[in-house]
Amino acid sequence: MSRLIVSVLLAALMVGIAAPSASDDMGEAARAGQWQLDTLRLPEAWRASKGAGVLVAVLDTGVNGRHPDLEGAVTQGPDLTGAGRSSGLWGRHGTAMASLIAGRGHGEEHEDGIVGVAPAAEVLSIRVTLENGDPLRRKRSSRGRHALAKGIRYAADRGADVISMSLGGGSGVWEGSADEEEAVRYAIGKGAVLVASSGNDGETANRKNFPAAYPGVIAVGAVDRRLKVARFSNRQDYLSVVAPGTEIVTADGRDSYVVGDGTSAAAAMVAGIAALIKSAHPDISPYHVRTAIELGVLKRPTAGYSRAYGHGVANALLALRAADRL
């Protein structure tokens, strides 16, 4: 899970924006803090595709479709955790990730708030995990034990083109599980592109992280503004690419904004790139989407691949161009 760390007022200072007064629109500061827009060359990529006609399933803690930057973009799927909303903690992380994928902004000409990588895509919210701070997280019911596998299958059966999983551990904790791996194969067989975060303990245990480590899943690590791999980003031989993952401004479940670090944000952005490709090429296979993303990178390692960078830094415009060639 990504580490959300400060509110937008502090975030504005972190990313070099003048802190807004109480009367200012917080959305203006949020948009100004989206440094990844230029890094991913999104304004150029949007000339070819904005993700129209693509359904992205966000398997997370739930998505607040009433956030002004996500209005009209979200369809609510099932809560597979078995926890309900009794703790009051619901949807903050999922809302953040959904905004990075398909945020539409708000205000005049949608110039304020968070704009996602694929702002014309639709989001299917499927709740498969609880917020990190939720006291019920340690007391997960048996009903929610296989939530991720069920969520993957549900998304595939509902025609999801992309399945975004900014989470780790799964029901098999750090070893993975047979039912999740089978669900991944099932979804790929149905034509879905699966994307997951590589993990945030790269500077400590650097554990193998699931669902990122399942074969066929696009595993994504994080880089900072200088395109250097973040210290927390897991280094593993299943890593596909890296993407912006530090000082990332996102929508918050409480209709506000936060800034966070983590491979979660990086994975959400790559899920957005997959949506752009699927929109431009509806019949493209999951394998070729992954290939296009891995070919369309910046800072490719000298040897062609490394456990830290994967194939390189994901780039929306270059990935679309690679998909065109494929």
Side-chain angles (χ1 to χ4, degrees):
M1 306 288 280
S2 65
R3 300 175 294 180
L4 300 179
I5 50 179
V6 287
S7 71
V8 71
L9 287 172
L10 294 178
L13 297 175
M14 258 183 83
V15 295
I17 314 165
S21 67
S23 61
D24 289 334
D25 183 3
M26 294 292 165
E28 183 178 351
R31 178 66 61 86
Q34 287 196 273
W35 64 269
Q36 72 270 18
L37 300 183
D38 289 333
T39 298
L40 297 176
R41 297 183 70 178
L42 285 172
E44 295 166 272
W46 287 334
R47 296 172 190 166
S49 174
K50 286 192 172 182
V54 172
L55 179 64
V56 181
V58 176
L59 275 56
D60 213 290
T61 64
V63 177
N64 177 10
R66 293 176 295 180
H67 192 284
D69 297 342
L70 287 167
E71 285 186 3
V74 182
T75 297
Q76 295 295 340
D79 180 350
L80 300 174
T81 66
R85 303 191 189 185
S86 56
S87 69
L89 291 174
W90 179 90
R92 297 187 67 182
H93 189 270
T95 301
M97 298 305 105
S99 71
L100 293 176
I101 296 167
R104 299 177 177 182
H106 67 271
E108 187 175 352
E109 301 296 325
H110 295 270
E111 292 182 352
D112 295 331
I114 301 300
V115 61
V117 173
E122 302 292 329
V123 169
L124 171 62
S125 172
I126 304 172
R127 192 181 188 218
V128 299
T129 191
L130 307 182
E131 300 288 339
N132 277 342
D134 194 323
L136 297 177
R137 191 176 175 89
R138 294 182 180 179
K139 303 176 181 178
R140 292 185 68 181
S141 69
S142 59
R143 181 180 162 195
R145 191 168 298 155
H146 301 286
L148 179 57
K150 292 177 181 177
I152 292 170
R153 288 180 178 272
Y154 181 94
D157 287 340
R158 269 48 180 195
D161 300 287
V162 180
I163 299 176
S164 180
M165 302 175 289
S166 290
L167 42 85
S171 60
V173 193
W174 303 106
E175 293 81 28
S177 69
D179 65 331
E180 289 176 2
E181 188 166 0
E182 289 171 5
V184 166
R185 288 199 298 267
Y186 176 79
I188 293 173
K190 300 274 280 187
V193 179
L194 283 76
V195 184
S197 47
S198 69
N200 294 332
D201 63 355
E203 59 187 324
T204 53
N206 192 41
R207 291 169 290 189
K208 201 171 188 177
N209 198 52
F210 292 91
Y214 292 125
V217 175
I218 300 174
V220 186
V223 292
D224 61 19
R225 289 172 182 254
R226 298 172 297 169
L227 303 188
K228 291 189 175 182
V229 177
R231 289 188 300 174
F232 57 78
S233 184
N234 288 36
R235 278 81 165 160
Q236 292 287 346
D237 56 11
Y238 55 79
L239 186 70
S240 179
V241 292
V242 290
T246 67
E247 300 178 10
I248 304 299
V249 188
T250 64
D252 188 44
R254 297 172 297 179
D255 298 350
S256 57
Y257 301 92
V258 292
V259 167
D261 295 347
T263 58
S264 283
M269 291 181 202
V270 172
I273 294 175
L276 296 181
I277 295 171
K278 289 287 286 185
S279 177
H281 303 281
D283 296 325
I284 194 171
S285 71
Y287 170 79
H288 284 101
V289 172
R290 177 180 184 145
T291 301
I293 291 171
E294 292 177 349
L295 288 174
V297 294
L298 302 172
K299 291 183 70 72
R300 184 178 297 277
T302 303
Y305 182 86
S306 77
R307 286 164 56 93
Y309 274 95
H311 292 274
V313 182
N315 183 280
L317 180 64
L318 298 181
L320 280 167
R321 288 176 177 173
D324 290 342
R325 294 194 299 272
L326 292 172

